[in-house]
């Protein structure tokens, strides 16, 4: 009975945004988001959000995760008025076996809103984007199922990787062990600084990186990864070697095997940025 009163503010804002989109079109929206570059930054942040959101992250896992980003980016760019033509599969076909609920679609929209705000979108722009995404709800929920309250509560109670590793203290211990192992591993030791004056600063950056990558709070900016590694000529062989070292350090720290596997999978999206220098 109180839904209408509680959601009144949101309902009015979305209605204003809908009317503006209908009258003015969406061409200006693409520009307001920063064009192609802005859309790319938004998608990157959006996928970072999704992978740490227990409500929907199970829809975005596995080896195909990295391959999802470009089609999603093309779809969003086209939907938001960009000069891009989405040529991917129809949404209904993509989502027909996923059986998402309205709750999960709303959770997806929450991630969209957070990502848009993170890249500088104002309230009006965010509202307009949400209105446009609402138009595809029925296609995405083609085989919608009833919202399972118990499953949702269980998912929401799952600890983040950051918490499972032991919080900041656990991540700090892991970074120390990982760095020591890396400097002793002939496969990658040449990439790791041994000068004590510099090592402390590098470890601090690694602490911030892994804290954020594991779902904790950090000031680290993932956009720095590509530039930071470009000149090192790191290949896929080296990247996989580092993953081996990370897994070994976590195992010795007593982290569960399934959590280690989840961590290694979660690090795969940065492979392209870390190895870009070698690729070029």
């Amino acid at each position: 009975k109180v839904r209408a009163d509680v959601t009144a503010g949101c309902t009015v804002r979305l209605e204003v945004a809908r009317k503006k989109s209908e009258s003015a079109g969406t061409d200006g929206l693409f520009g307001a988001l920063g064009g192609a570059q802005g859309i790319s930054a938004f998608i990157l942040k959006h996928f970072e959000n999704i992978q740490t959101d227990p409500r929907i992250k199970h829809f975005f896992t596995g080896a195909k995760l990295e391959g999802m980003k470009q089609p999603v980016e093309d779809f969003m760019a086209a939907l938001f008025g960009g000069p891009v033509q989405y040529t991917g599969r129809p949404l209904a076909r993509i989502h027909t076996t996923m059986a998402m609920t309205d709750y999960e679609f709303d959770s997806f929209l929450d991630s969209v809103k957070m990502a848009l705000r993170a890249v500088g979108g104002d309230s009006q722009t965010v509202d307009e984007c949400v209105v446009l995404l609402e138009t595809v709800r029925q296609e995405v929920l083609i085989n919608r199922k009833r919202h399972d309250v118990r499953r949702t509560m269980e998912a929401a109670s799952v600890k983040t990787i950051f918490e499972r590793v032991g919080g900041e203290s656990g991540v700090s211990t892991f970074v120390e062990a990982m760095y020591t192992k890396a400097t002793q591993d002939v496969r990658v030791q040449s990439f790791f600084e041994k000068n004590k004056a510099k090592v402390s600063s590098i470890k601090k950056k690694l602490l911030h990186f892994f804290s954020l990558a594991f779902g904790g709070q950090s000031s680290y900016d993932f956009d720095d990864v590509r530039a930071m590694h470009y000149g090192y000529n790191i290949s896929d062989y080296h990247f996989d070697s580092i993953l081996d070292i990370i897994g070994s350090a976590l195992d010795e720290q007593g982290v569960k095997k399934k959590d280690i596997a989840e961590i290694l999978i979660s690090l795969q999206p940065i492979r392209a940025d870390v190895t870009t220098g070698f690729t070029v």
Side-chain angles (χ1 to χ4, degrees):
K1 292 183 179 181
V2 300
R3 176 185 290 268
D5 293 329
V6 173
T7 63
C10 179
T11 302
V12 171
R13 285 192 0 257
L14 293 180
E15 181 62 15
V16 170
R18 182 185 66 79
K19 289 183 177 179
K20 181 179 178 182
S21 293
E22 288 179 351
S23 62
T26 59
D27 292 351
L29 185 57
F30 181 74
L33 291 170
Q37 187 174 356
I39 294 290
S40 293
F42 151 61
I43 292 297
L44 182 63
K45 188 63 181 175
H46 178 42
F47 270 80
E48 288 176 8
N49 293 342
I50 286 172
Q51 289 174 270
T52 59
D53 190 327
R55 300 172 298 176
I56 53 175
K57 67 179 182 180
H58 53 285
F59 291 117
F60 300 87
T61 58
K64 295 182 178 180
L65 176 62
E66 194 63 28
M68 294 181 191
K69 292 184 180 178
Q70 192 58 54
V72 173
E73 182 173 330
D74 290 344
F75 175 80
M76 293 287 191
L79 183 67
F80 297 157
V84 178
Q85 183 173 2
Y86 174 68
T87 58
R89 292 181 297 161
L91 294 187
R93 181 180 174 187
I94 294 172
H95 296 88
T96 188
T97 61
M98 295 174 68
M100 291 181 72
T101 65
D102 281 293
Y103 171 78
E104 288 160 339
F105 187 80
D106 289 339
S107 301
F108 179 86
L109 292 183
D110 283 344
S111 173
V112 167
K113 288 184 280 190
M114 287 190 294
L116 287 170
R117 293 188 189 109
V119 297
D122 58 33
S123 296
Q124 182 174 310
T125 299
V126 172
D127 287 347
E128 289 180 47
C129 290
V130 171
V131 165
L132 289 170
L133 283 168
E134 278 290 353
T135 65
V136 303
R137 180 184 289 266
Q138 299 307 314
E139 293 178 74
V140 172
L141 303 184
I142 186 70
N143 281 334
R144 79 173 68 195
K145 58 183 178 181
R146 294 188 61 185
H147 177 45
D148 188 331
V149 176
R150 177 174 293 181
R151 186 172 74 87
T152 300
M153 292 178 66
E154 290 174 349
S157 68
V158 174
K159 292 183 177 180
T160 64
I161 292 174
F162 180 77
E163 294 170 315
R164 283 175 268 165
V165 170
E168 185 174 349
S169 175
V171 176
S172 180
T173 299
F174 154 69
V175 167
E176 289 289 338
M178 185 272 292
Y179 200 92
T180 298
K181 285 178 174 291
T183 58
Q184 297 172 351
D185 192 306
V186 295
R187 298 173 296 176
V188 297
Q189 60 185 185
S190 62
F191 298 116
F192 288 83
E193 181 65 56
K194 298 179 180 64
N195 185 314
K196 290 184 178 180
K198 296 181 179 180
V199 168
S200 178
S201 175
I202 294 172
K203 286 182 179 178
K204 185 175 181 180
K205 290 179 181 178
L206 286 171
L207 175 61
H208 287 308
F209 168 79
F210 282 109
S211 292
L212 188 60
F214 291 174
Q217 297 296 316
S218 170
S219 60
Y220 191 89
D221 187 348
F222 281 123
D223 290 341
D224 294 337
V225 173
R226 180 181 292 261
M228 189 177 298
H229 294 87
Y230 186 84
Y232 283 90
N233 205 33
I234 299 174
S235 68
D236 280 307
Y237 167 76
H238 298 129
F239 187 84
D240 289 331
S241 299
I242 293 171
L243 290 183
D244 285 343
I245 293 169
I246 289 172
S248 175
L250 289 168
D251 184 56
E252 291 182 9
Q253 191 169 323
V255 178
K256 294 179 181 179
K257 298 288 186 184
K258 65 181 183 65
D259 291 337
I260 294 175
E262 184 177 342
I263 288 169
L264 297 181
I265 290 173
S266 72
L267 292 172
Q268 286 294 343
I270 67 166
R271 177 186 292 270
D273 289 327
V274 173
T275 62
T276 187
F278 179 82
T279 303
V280 172

